[in-house]
Amino acid sequence: MMHDPKLVYSLEVRVMDLEQKVADLEHSLREITAGRVKNADPNVVPLPPALLKRISDGEHPVRVIRQFRLMTQKELGELCGIRPNHISAIERGMSYGLKTAKRLADALAVPVDLLT
């Protein structure tokens, strides 16, 4: 039985690439779960430190978290019952009340104090 060295090399490269991707995903998972608190609400997923830094650096938390969750303003609006144009205005800095913050926090699966 003959082995094609080019085919074997190509397959080895693909395996190495997949191993690296798995390692990167494991690292990301560890980063995301690093902030998990014992007995915390399992529906609230901790955010990676890099996201929290963006928020502390002044980016709007609703926009940062919405984008991290890969949601459009329309999708977020459908989840929390707030019109997309209102979400857009909030992300641009319009003030909002605690009731709105609670609805957004529930839809984004974050603690409400992160949005207030």
Side-chain angles (χ1 to χ4, degrees):
M1 184 163 140
M2 297 281 289
H3 293 288
D4 180 0
K6 288 182 181 178
L7 175 63
V8 171
Y9 176 77
S10 170
L11 291 173
E12 287 176 344
V13 168
R14 288 181 183 168
V15 167
M16 289 170 43
D17 183 48
L18 286 172
E19 288 173 340
Q20 182 60 51
K21 287 179 180 177
V22 167
D24 292 345
L25 287 170
E26 288 173 338
H27 173 76
S28 295
L29 184 59
R30 278 191 303 278
E31 185 178 79
I32 289 170
T33 59
R36 213 175 272 280
V37 177
K38 192 173 186 176
N39 300 324
D41 181 349
N43 297 319
V44 176
V45 178
L47 301 173
L51 241 61
L52 298 174
K53 180 170 180 356
R54 287 176 55 194
I55 293 168
S56 70
D57 286 348
E59 289 189 56
H60 199 284
V62 173
R63 176 177 285 139
V64 171
I65 299 163
R66 175 182 60 77
Q67 289 173 344
F68 173 70
R69 302 277 191 242
L70 302 175
M71 299 168 76
T72 64
Q73 290 175 343
K74 181 180 178 188
E75 291 167 333
L76 177 56
E78 289 169 356
L79 276 177
C80 65
I82 298 172
R83 293 184 324 274
N85 61 334
H86 190 191
I87 291 171
S88 176
I90 288 170
E91 290 181 356
R92 289 191 317 271
M94 183 185 90
S95 62
Y96 54 97
L98 190 56
K99 182 178 176 184
T100 299
K102 174 77 172 117
R103 290 165 64 183
L104 289 166
D106 289 346
L108 293 168
V110 296
V112 72
D113 62 342
L114 189 60
L115 304 182
T116 55

